[in-house]
Amino acid sequence: MEADLQAQLAFVLTGRAGAGLSPIAPLRLRPAPLARYRALTTLRHDYPLVLTSAPAGEPVILSLSGLFDVLLGEVGVGTDAERLRHHAFRLERKIREAVAAGATGTLSVLWDQAERQLLTGGESLLKDSCARLRGVLSVDGEVVGCDRALPVRLFTHVWQRAQARKVRRMQEEIDRLARKLSDILGAADANSETGLGAERLRASVGRAFANDFDFAAMSQLLTTTRPVVRLSDVRRARVEHLLATLRSHSFAPADFVFKTLGDALEAHAQRLPGLTALANTITAAGLEIDGGYRDGAHDAVFEALNGRELDPVDRARFPDYLVCLNADTLRAADIAKLTEALCAGVPLKVLIQTDDLLEPSQFGDSHPSAGLAARKLVQAAIDAADVYVLQSPSSHLYRFRDQILRGVEFAGPTLFSVHSGVGEWTDDLPPYLASAAALESRAFPAFVYDPSAGPDWASRFSIDRNPQAEHDWPAHDLSYEDESLQRMSEEVRFTLVDLLACDARYAGYFARVPKEQWNGCMIPVAEFMANGPRGLPDKVPYVLMADSSGGLHRVLVDARLIREAWRSREQWRSLQEWAGVHSSHVERALARERQAREAQAQREAEARAAEAVAVVEAVPTAAAATGAAPAPVAPPEPAEAKPPGEPYIETLRCSTCNECTKINDRMFKYNQNKQAYIADLKAGTYAQMVQAAESCQVAVIHPGKPWNPDEPGLEELLKRAEAFA
Amino acid sequence: MSEQATMTNGATACLLRMYDEQHEIEDYQKGVPRWCTGCGDNAILAAVQRLCRDEGLRPEKTVFVSGIGCSSRLPHYMNTYGFHGLHGRALPVAEGIRMVRPDLAVFVNTGDGDCFSIGAAHWVHAVRYNMNLTVMVHDNQVYGLTKMQVSPTSPRGLKTNTTPLGAHLNPLQPLTVTLGVQNVSFVAQAVDWIPEVLYEIVRAAYHHRGLSFIRIVQRCPEFMPGALDPWVRDPQRVLILRHERGLKLSPALAQIYRNQLEHDPSNIHRAREIASTPDPIPVGILYHNPDAPCYEDLRRNMDQRTTDMIRRGLEAEFDKFTITSHGS
């Protein structure tokens, strides 16, 4: 036993397999959590997908399983529902098998093929089921499996649909503007001398009444009374130019798909002046139609705008440039150029496909590159803050369909980073499982960074779609039977080591331990790493793997891979912090807050205790204080008072009745709210002031005392003025 | 703004705002009002001109629609677009403008005769349609322009040319009628002799999306001299309805008009109770429902009226008739 442990420890530390330990490559093992998914075609899952050709507003991507569920929802009712379900699943499986075998085509074609294969036996009920299901099938489109070509096909499909919608909307807007501009010219023409001429009037009435009117007289009458305002030559020329520019443009989404970044950037540079001119034309047309175009003032503005690049909102009207790249073929210069283009806001929709995620880096065979090129781009794009970024393995692209659509429609550059799952896997691990395993192991985590979702990281960045995102590694229940055929169950965490165990290039870092050498010092990798990258000194890490007949094996892991897993875990934890999961800053702030509250509560408790003591001691003297009177309430502030004798008007209450201004419009004037005030006392007499006070409908004029003691009749006037004091 | 205009809205609106002039109150004045000195219409005119200035309404994007009466002279004194129409038909004209030109700010000035008498049918249905209009009824309780005939809101016993022995009936209560119409969304009452409150109510009405109905009790110094003096002279006979979601009174005015009532404008039942008690005159926002649906939103017309469409429509109509060369 001790010797076995020594041999195991030696392997973990040195990578040298001693007696008893065997290599895993011949055994075609795969991690135990993946064991039950050997026959993927028999399992209902997201793939294959149907890239639909449905109209706008309908989903652009459907999963075959989801589609069949919808069909069953429509026809699978009644006594034959169970039969329909069975037959539907058989048909679905047939289609899935065909796609997995490499068949291509639309859903209707594959459906027909699968149906023919199923119906060779002549089952009439099966034929009936197929017919009923086909009867309610209302969608069609290309069927794609999870393979190397999937990311490009899927993103191109979504992009094309989105761009077609965009082009359609823009064309409708351009048509609308062109119609309105034509109406302006038409109205001007109808109002012109030619438009109001006898011949034109006769033509507008029609032959039936051609002899019933004196069109010459009508023309003379209309010409005499027509409005003076006419379309100026400058404005006509401008409207005609705008119309010509609008009508000269058309867009085809296919012109915006490029195989290389260089081609896309070159096309962008060539087309930018034309797009700028069109965007400015649209704005100017809007102003013209609204009647808000100012000659001279706006001319200068548009001239200046024509020399500038478009702002993102204007640019978002036009199709974006789609570029699909493979990370394996990217060089450092390409990465730098792409980074710069994304940060500069070039309207790119870039797909970076990473096939080989675990290619050993230049620093040693035990260091997987983990999609370094894509990671660099993703990091740079997120740093730019205004680039939409989505990272996902192929297995989860269907679940991210809404986010993919949002990214394609995002008004700015977008970066999609996808791991296809294609690689040098042992045991023919299909791309779907491999990419899902990359997600589970945190080697290729899924996330979305959407700048338009809100002003802060909490609203923009999300890692929700990762399984058990709050943990370092997702945990799965593994049920199996032991040698005495008893059901056993244990929790297994899927780590980077499990993913590496699937790659033939890392087989040398694993060693199978025979059953008879299993011991209590062997602990799962996740548990081993709980104490740091070097783990526990007297323990050895293992992963559970299964062979093709379902037998479980414990496989030791070289310490170098443990360090890689540790690094991967730290990277995942950084991502968690960005997403606000286990944010160390928040936890520290909470801890500080908690401490402060506890300290405050402690102080209050101590103060209360001290107070209680003081009250007890002060009781004999309390009675002497009860006779004190309460502090007086502050009186309300007096209203603003005028100096006695000064005439004034309560301007705010003036009802603009013109009584006072009619009496003397130099003494009484209206302010900016058309309410009266005394503008110039000396401009009138006291008699006029009193008369105004008596005429005022709302009695807001107060004559005060006369300012000219020599004015005649003051005694009587003062008596009359008393009522308005 | 229609959906189709949104693509150009951002840049267009920015550029329009760059060059929009600041309008002063004089920019909205046109001509000298011919109303009698002391007429309450002057106060209403001042309030709407002030509103146009404070809200920065572009004169070419504003229209005042009126019917017939002294009230209906108002569009002539506004330097905006205006439509002085037929007796009682201000509301249907305004509704038509609203449907075809949703970008315009549409105001209606009508009187007690124009709105409550000949225009009563339009009044009821306009409230129900709840199109986005600001309707001001200049209620002086008499037909003034035609030199003193009884109107639906004339007090009982009023002697006029048509009722020499005195008006036989109790006056109509316009507020209770309006509050009883389905889909009513904004009802307020103002008086012309408290200009601050009049302005605030007109402003609140302008900001309400839907049909804002304001009955403005106004004085007629020529044909109803002194009729409203008891209410003008005695602030206690004016009941100010205030609320945080309704009218707020300035401290200076609150000192004078102390007869105040806290009234929640969302409470229609209470509003109906208040409306049915005409003395003291309730002044303020009686009812406000910002969520009532507007007809133009329910029936938004997405069709573009192009020349081609009109031509096709006319041809379809003409095709219904057979026209022979002999004219038979």
Side-chain angles (χ1 to χ4, degrees):
Chain A
M1 183 69 138
E2 186 62 24
D4 294 337
L5 180 58
Q6 290 299 324
Q8 288 164 11
L9 279 169
F11 175 79
V12 169
L13 292 172
T14 65
R16 287 220 176 112
L21 300 177
S22 53
I24 63 169
L27 299 171
R28 298 174 64 79
L29 301 176
R30 58 166 67 175
L34 299 180
R36 57 183 132 164
Y37 305 122
R38 284 195 184 273
L40 213 54
T41 53
T42 62
L43 297 171
R44 301 193 82 212
H45 58 288
D46 289 342
Y47 284 86
L49 299 177
V50 181
L51 306 181
T52 69
S53 50
E58 299 295 323
V60 297
I61 311 171
L62 292 171
S63 77
L64 190 69
S65 304
L67 181 58
F68 268 87
D69 288 341
V70 169
L71 297 179
L72 282 170
E74 290 186 40
V75 301
V77 292
T79 51
D80 50 5
E82 197 55 33
R83 182 252 299 176
L84 274 162
R85 271 186 70 240
H86 282 298
H87 291 161
F89 291 156
R90 280 174 66 182
L91 185 61
E92 180 193 324
R93 179 172 162 176
K94 214 56 177 174
I95 296 173
R96 183 172 288 115
E97 283 169 359
V99 174
T104 56
T106 61
L107 176 63
S108 49
V109 166
L110 293 175
W111 182 298
D112 291 340
Q113 286 173 0
E115 202 176 307
R116 274 198 298 276
Q117 288 171 13
L118 282 176
L119 292 177
T120 49
E123 299 174 45
S124 59
L125 284 178
L126 178 58
K127 190 172 175 182
D128 173 67
S129 300
C130 291
R132 284 167 68 177
L133 287 166
R134 191 60 186 270
V136 293
L137 178 67
S138 58
V139 296
D140 198 7
E142 201 69 25
V143 179
V144 294
C146 189
D147 54 22
R148 189 188 294 268
L150 165 74
V152 173
R153 291 169 79 183
L154 186 144
F155 281 91
T156 305
H157 172 75
V158 176
W159 178 89
Q160 280 173 342
R161 294 287 299 275
Q163 300 311 308
R165 260 200 313 277
K166 194 187 269 193
V167 166
R168 200 168 45 243
R169 270 204 311 264
M170 191 179 58
Q171 198 56 52
E172 282 168 5
E173 176 63 8
I174 289 177
D175 289 344
R176 183 190 77 87
L177 291 171
R179 268 199 307 275
K180 293 275 190 183
L181 289 174
S182 300
D183 286 348
I184 292 173
L185 293 177
D189 187 49
N191 244 346
S192 65
E193 284 203 16
T194 317
L196 293 173
E199 284 312 309
R200 191 73 78 84
L201 290 171
R202 191 194 311 278
S204 69
V205 165
R207 273 189 294 178
F209 303 102
N211 296 324
D212 292 352
F213 295 97
D214 182 347
F215 290 103
M218 188 189 292
S219 169
Q220 193 184 358
L221 186 67
L222 289 173
T223 313
T224 321
T225 57
R226 68 179 171 158
V228 180
V229 176
R230 293 191 187 88
L231 193 67
S232 68
D233 291 340
V234 168
R235 192 175 177 213
R236 176 182 285 277
R238 185 170 59 241
V239 169
E240 285 170 353
H241 173 68
L242 291 174
L243 207 46
T245 307
L246 288 174
R247 285 179 175 155
S248 67
H249 275 83
S250 67
F251 294 93
D255 295 338
F256 287 79
V257 183
F258 296 91
K259 288 206 171 93
T260 67
L261 178 65
D263 290 346
L265 293 177
E266 197 183 319
H268 169 68
Q270 279 171 3
R271 294 174 193 177
L272 191 57
L275 294 180
T276 307
L278 181 58
N280 293 334
T281 300
I282 290 172
T283 306
L287 284 170
E288 270 298 348
I289 289 162
D290 224 14
Y293 196 100
R294 307 273 202 283
D295 291 334
H298 281 136
D299 289 342
V301 170
F302 282 111
E303 201 177 308
L305 285 176
N306 274 335
R308 283 165 62 94
E309 62 180 65
L310 290 172
D311 72 47
V313 172
D314 281 333
R315 182 58 192 82
R317 294 173 178 166
F318 305 112
D320 306 298
Y321 298 89
L322 176 67
V323 186
C324 297
L325 304 169
N326 194 297
D328 296 339
T329 58
L330 283 180
R331 299 286 170 263
D334 299 324
I335 295 172
K337 194 195 283 188
L338 183 52
T339 304
E340 208 179 323
L342 290 172
C343 294
V346 176
L348 295 168
K349 303 292 176 202
V350 180
L351 167 66
I352 297 286
Q353 177 172 333
T354 304
D355 292 330
D356 191 356
L357 192 64
L358 301 179
E359 182 186 2
S361 76
Q362 58 181 307
F363 298 104
D365 289 343
S366 66
H367 297 288
S369 58
L372 191 58
R375 259 198 297 144
K376 281 184 196 169
L377 283 165
V378 162
Q379 183 68 55
I382 292 178
D383 283 346
D386 59 356
V387 178
Y388 189 104
V389 181
L390 184 147
Q391 175 163 296
S392 168
S394 281
S395 57
H396 281 61
L397 285 179
Y398 178 67
R399 295 180 196 197
F400 273 112
R401 57 193 183 279
D402 291 338
Q403 286 79 2
I404 291 171
L405 197 58
R406 257 207 297 285
V408 165
E409 291 177 348
F410 177 69
T414 302
L415 177 66
F416 299 108
S417 171
V418 176
H419 170 48
S420 64
V422 172
E424 295 185 27
W425 307 111
T426 59
D427 197 29
D428 295 326
L429 200 65
Y432 175 79
L433 277 186
S435 56
L439 179 79
E440 293 268 335
S441 65
R442 314 298 194 206
F444 199 85
F447 56 80
V448 177
Y449 178 81
D450 180 0
S452 64
D456 49 36
W457 271 82
S459 40
R460 292 181 177 190
F461 189 76
S462 168
I463 59 170
D464 294 344
R465 295 300 168 92
N466 291 276
Q468 299 172 40
E470 67 279 8
H471 297 300
D472 287 338
W473 318 104
H476 299 280
D477 281 323
L478 181 69
S479 298
Y480 57 91
E481 60 184 33
D482 63 7
E483 32 292 303
S484 38
L485 303 179
Q486 297 303 304
R487 184 186 173 88
M488 303 295 289
S489 177
E490 66 180 86
E491 190 181 83
V492 175
R493 293 205 175 261
F494 198 92
T495 70
L496 177 67
V497 174
D498 293 275
L499 183 69
L500 291 170
C502 299
D503 192 314
R505 292 169 294 193
Y506 298 89
Y509 297 90
F510 296 90
R512 176 185 168 273
V513 180
K515 186 79 190 339
E516 55 276 12
Q517 291 180 21
W518 288 9
N519 56 72
C521 295
M522 296 175 72
I523 58 175
V525 165
E527 201 178 316
F528 183 82
M529 286 199 302
N531 274 43
R534 297 167 78 89
L536 295 162
D538 58 344
K539 302 291 183 193
V540 289
Y542 76 88
V543 288
L544 265 181
M545 300 191 79
D547 57 36
S548 54
S549 55
L552 269 183
H553 302 261
R554 285 190 184 184
V555 175
L556 291 180
V557 184
D558 190 314
R560 285 172 288 183
L561 293 192
I562 298 295
R563 282 197 290 276
E564 290 303 317
W566 177 265
R567 196 173 294 123
S568 172
R569 192 194 80 162
E570 292 304 297
Q571 287 168 356
W572 168 246
R573 284 188 173 182
S574 294
L575 214 61
Q576 283 180 314
E577 285 234 32
W578 284 4
V581 177
H582 303 310
S583 169
S584 54
H585 294 287
V586 169
E587 283 166 9
R588 270 189 215 174
L590 280 173
R592 270 199 307 270
E593 185 63 30
R594 204 175 301 121
Q595 269 176 6
R597 276 203 206 156
E598 281 167 9
Q600 173 72 8
Q602 179 67 21
R603 280 195 296 275
E604 282 170 5
E606 285 168 4
R608 276 195 299 275
E611 212 177 275
V613 168
V615 164
V616 164
E617 287 172 0
V619 159
T621 57
T626 53
V633 174
E637 286 189 15
E640 195 186 326
K642 294 280 177 190
E646 184 183 321
Y648 68 97
I649 298 178
E650 294 172 67
T651 301
L652 283 176
R653 290 180 58 206
C654 167
S655 64
T656 323
C657 69
N658 299 329
E659 293 274 14
C660 58
T661 54
K662 279 261 164 68
I663 292 170
N664 187 325
D665 61 2
R666 283 175 297 123
M667 184 190 288
F668 303 105
K669 282 191 190 299
Y670 284 134
N671 65 8
Q672 67 271 23
N673 289 336
K674 282 191 76 175
Q675 289 175 304
Y677 68 102
I678 299 175
D680 184 1
L681 207 54
K682 304 280 166 59
T685 62
Y686 189 68
Q688 287 176 322
M689 180 65 76
V690 172
Q691 185 188 358
E694 288 168 340
S695 306
C696 178
Q697 303 276 322
V698 287
V700 297
I701 299 178
H702 305 274
K705 296 283 182 252
W707 48 93
N708 178 10
D710 299 325
E711 189 173 330
L714 276 183
E715 200 178 314
E716 191 229 330
L717 289 169
L718 281 166
K719 257 202 203 113
R720 285 161 57 187
E722 274 171 17
F724 303 102
Chain B
M1 259 321 166
S2 69
E3 207 173 72
Q4 285 142 326
T6 52
M7 279 190 75
T8 53
N9 195 18
T12 311
C14 285
L15 280 164
L16 283 171
R17 270 197 292 277
M18 269 171 71
Y19 291 101
D20 264 349
E21 295 141 13
Q22 273 292 94
H23 293 292
E24 297 305 324
I25 206 165
E26 290 77 20
D27 295 330
Y28 300 99
Q29 294 172 352
K30 192 167 85 171
V32 177
R34 302 251 181 113
W35 293 310
C36 306
T37 306
C39 176
D41 286 334
N42 288 298
I44 301 170
L45 177 67
V48 296
Q49 285 171 344
R50 200 177 141 198
L51 175 80
C52 290
R53 178 202 62 197
D54 292 348
E55 296 295 330
L57 297 184
R58 291 161 66 193
E60 67 274 19
K61 288 291 200 179
T62 310
V63 61
F64 285 80
V65 183
S66 64
I68 294 292
C70 290
S71 63
S72 302
R73 295 285 308 164
L74 191 136
H76 292 267
Y77 308 133
M78 288 294 298
N79 190 26
T80 61
Y81 279 108
F83 192 102
H84 189 178
L86 300 176
H87 199 13
R89 318 302 168 192
L91 283 165
V93 169
E95 286 167 315
I97 293 171
R98 186 83 203 126
M99 282 300 287
V100 176
R101 291 297 303 273
D103 55 315
L104 300 181
V106 184
F107 296 84
V108 178
N109 293 92
T110 178
D112 46 305
D114 193 69
C115 185
F116 305 145
S117 184
I118 183 170
H122 300 305
W123 163 41
V124 168
H125 292 288
V127 173
R128 190 168 70 93
Y129 271 46
N130 193 38
M131 296 181 73
N132 192 19
L133 307 167
T134 305
V135 178
M136 291 167 274
V137 182
H138 305 213
D139 189 352
N140 60 357
Q141 302 168 333
V142 74
Y143 284 19
L145 188 74
T146 46
K147 297 180 177 51
M148 197 157 183
Q149 291 81 31
V150 73
S151 90
T153 53
S154 297
R156 188 171 179 178
L158 179 71
K159 291 196 169 86
T160 68
N161 297 332
T162 47
T163 54
L165 300 178
H168 307 286
L169 301 171
N170 284 327
L172 179 82
Q173 296 291 345
L175 298 180
T176 53
V177 171
T178 309
L179 285 167
V181 177
Q182 184 70 27
N183 211 34
V184 60
S185 66
F186 186 103
V187 178
Q189 180 159 266
V191 294
D192 79 274
W193 60 89
I194 312 179
E196 178 190 316
V197 170
L198 170 62
Y199 172 74
E200 290 300 328
I201 288 173
V202 170
R203 194 164 75 96
Y206 168 72
H207 283 288
H208 167 69
R209 181 162 173 78
L211 189 127
S212 309
F213 180 87
I214 314 169
R215 180 201 183 197
I216 306 171
V217 178
Q218 65 149 118
R219 294 154 296 152
C220 177
E222 184 64 31
F223 298 109
M224 298 281 281
L228 291 169
D229 278 356
W231 288 272
V232 174
R233 304 277 179 219
D234 183 3
Q236 285 298 109
R237 292 189 77 172
V238 171
L239 176 66
I240 302 289
L241 306 174
R242 58 174 168 75
H243 194 266
E244 61 173 6
R245 282 195 298 277
L247 194 64
K248 295 179 196 54
L249 218 50
S250 66
L253 217 58
Q255 290 278 343
I256 301 166
Y257 292 95
R258 292 172 187 265
N259 191 6
Q260 300 171 22
L261 177 69
E262 184 83 9
H263 165 65
D264 181 358
S266 63
N267 187 343
I268 193 166
H269 305 291
R270 186 74 184 107
R272 286 170 180 154
E273 278 177 29
I274 293 167
S276 58
T277 312
D279 192 5
I281 296 179
V283 169
I285 300 172
L286 279 90
Y287 181 65
H288 182 203
N289 175 11
D291 299 323
C294 296
Y295 183 74
E296 60 265 50
D297 294 335
L298 298 171
R299 284 287 314 274
R300 183 174 291 168
N301 186 358
M302 296 295 288
D303 294 336
Q304 292 291 326
R305 288 187 171 196
T306 62
T307 313
D308 204 47
M309 180 192 280
I310 295 170
R311 181 181 56 77
R312 279 189 272 116
L314 284 172
E315 282 173 2
E317 286 302 309
F318 291 149
D319 284 345
K320 293 178 185 173
F321 301 93
T322 301
I323 301 171
T324 67
S325 57
H326 301 294
S328 58

